[in-house]
Amino acid sequence: MAPTILVVGATGNTGRALVEILPKLLQSSKTLSDYRIIALTRSSKSPVAQKLAKLPGVEVREQNWIEITSDWLREHQVVRAFIAPHNEPSQFSEESTFHVAALNAGVKYVVRISTTAANVRPDCKAYYPRTHWAIEALLSSPEFSNLQWTSLQPNIFSNFYLSGAAEFIKQYRKTGKQGALKLMASKDAPVGVIYPDDVGVFAAHLLSQEDTAVHNKAKYVLNGPVDITGKQIVDLVEQYTGTQVDHVDYEDMSFVDMLYEYQYAPTHQSKNVITSIKHAAETAWEGKCTASTTSKAVLELAPPKITPAEALKGLLEE
């Protein structure tokens, strides 16, 4: 069996683009051309999974990543791995279990998805960036010295950041009537939102490096190619609707309350923990998440290309 690169979340936000480009990068490598890819998904019958399964050297498998063991990794000869963990309250326990399994199985290199760099600190008011900080601290410990790793700290994804704008445009096109345009963005703060595909492409370039040591323990900041403000989002909306927006709710985080009520309250999760997500956008509103903070290595290996305007156009075509 050939050495294997494991991709957790292959049909997700970042995993799909990664799996699409990785086989080409491996084929052009002097030392990795015989590596195969195992792409994990929750449904191998989905259209995306079916498409990925046709790529050379890619095997799509249904497997819950939180149940992966060292034995499973050894059995499948996994030497490198990509993981885009969930942001549920159980993230630390489940992701750290994966990394312990990888360490004990002799996996050589892991690329993981973190979150907005300005939030990855132990005192962040939002709960999930603290989890990412804790995972990075765990991987930085001497006990994990045999496992090379890179943590990607992407800014907020543009498709999520612009979803309110896309929904407003779609509804206006259907009804000719306006509701409130609800935006997570502040009116004036520039934010370098990034398209998920750009993150996946960069991760693929890391996983295809012949020597990963130069990227070991690196925490790379990823933003889109240009900044956008809330006012500029409104300008885009008005271009699509051909009319002035009557009412804009900037810095709107009301979706968090709905998220709690419909997803977490029935399972008796802590409301205090879940609603702390409302604080996640504060660093963006403070101007700390601009495109200028992108790491040099990102710009050298695979600079992000998709602009907010292009992302919004894509959302409207779905």
Side-chain angles (χ1 to χ4, degrees):
M1 187 182 296
T4 299
I5 298 177
L6 174 67
V7 179
V8 173
T11 55
N13 266 337
T14 54
R16 178 184 55 80
L18 186 161
V19 177
E20 286 178 346
I21 191 174
L22 185 56
K24 300 175 185 177
L25 296 173
L26 294 177
Q27 287 169 7
S28 63
S29 170
K30 295 179 181 178
T31 59
L32 308 178
S33 58
D34 63 335
Y35 279 40
R36 67 180 188 133
I37 301 165
I38 292 182
L40 296 192
T41 180
R42 284 176 289 186
S43 173
S44 59
K45 295 181 174 60
S46 72
V48 174
Q50 293 286 315
K51 181 180 178 182
L52 296 180
K54 297 177 182 178
L55 296 172
V58 175
E59 176 189 350
V60 173
R61 296 177 63 98
E62 290 185 11
Q63 168 71 43
N64 189 342
W65 70 269
I66 66 174
E67 302 300 336
I68 286 176
T69 63
S70 295
D71 287 342
W72 190 96
L73 293 167
R74 280 191 290 264
E75 177 187 347
H76 294 88
Q77 293 192 3
V78 175
V79 294
R80 298 184 180 187
F82 167 84
I83 178 170
H86 59 71
N87 281 337
E88 303 286 328
S90 59
Q91 179 195 336
F92 179 81
S93 58
E94 291 171 347
E95 188 184 349
S96 63
T97 297
F98 175 86
H99 293 306
V100 169
L103 175 68
N104 290 323
V107 174
K108 301 301 182 184
Y109 181 53
V110 172
V111 176
R112 65 176 300 274
I113 301 293
S114 180
T115 190
T116 306
N119 289 341
V120 184
R121 60 182 200 269
D123 63 340
C124 185
K125 293 179 182 177
Y127 81 87
Y128 68 89
R130 297 196 303 269
T131 297
H132 285 292
W133 171 85
I135 289 289
E136 291 175 355
L138 175 144
L139 292 172
S140 299
S141 67
E143 290 82 358
F144 275 81
S145 60
N146 288 334
L147 176 63
Q148 294 185 359
W149 58 276
T150 304
S151 193
L152 308 187
Q153 299 178 334
N155 207 338
I156 189 168
F157 291 154
S158 51
N159 51 350
F160 181 56
Y161 202 69
L162 299 170
S163 60
E167 184 61 27
F168 182 94
I169 295 168
K170 290 178 180 180
Q171 287 300 314
Y172 183 79
R173 286 174 170 176
K174 284 182 181 179
T175 66
K177 298 179 181 180
Q178 292 191 27
L181 173 56
K182 296 181 178 294
L183 299 177
M184 186 188 309
S186 69
K187 183 177 181 180
D188 298 314
V191 180
V193 294
I194 187 166
Y195 196 69
D197 282 7
D198 283 336
V199 180
V201 168
F202 178 67
H205 277 79
L206 289 177
L207 288 165
S208 62
Q209 294 294 296
E210 295 187 13
D211 181 10
T212 59
V214 68
H215 303 289
N216 185 29
K217 296 183 172 62
K219 303 170 188 177
Y220 290 138
V221 180
L222 294 93
N223 298 284
V226 296
D227 293 320
I228 192 166
T229 66
K231 179 60 172 62
Q232 289 171 326
I233 296 175
V234 175
D235 291 342
L236 287 174
V237 170
E238 291 178 343
Q239 291 175 26
Y240 277 104
T241 60
T243 188
Q244 183 175 343
V245 176
D246 295 332
H247 181 78
V248 184
D249 288 336
Y250 292 108
E251 300 183 11
D252 180 77
M253 300 294 286
S254 59
F255 71 90
V256 176
D257 293 317
M258 292 186 288
L259 178 71
Y260 174 76
E261 291 300 329
Y262 288 100
Q263 182 172 337
Y264 293 102
T267 59
H268 306 290
Q269 297 271 16
S270 167
K271 184 175 183 180
N272 190 34
V273 170
I274 301 303
T275 57
S276 72
I277 295 172
K278 292 180 179 181
H279 296 289
E282 290 175 357
T283 49
W285 302 337
E286 294 166 357
K288 297 178 180 179
C289 304
T290 61
S292 64
T293 62
T294 300
S295 296
K296 182 181 179 181
V298 177
L299 300 176
E300 292 175 344
L301 272 182
K305 298 178 179 179
I306 301 173
T307 66
E310 292 168 333
L312 179 58
K313 181 181 178 182
L315 286 172
L316 295 174
E317 293 172 350
E318 291 180 350

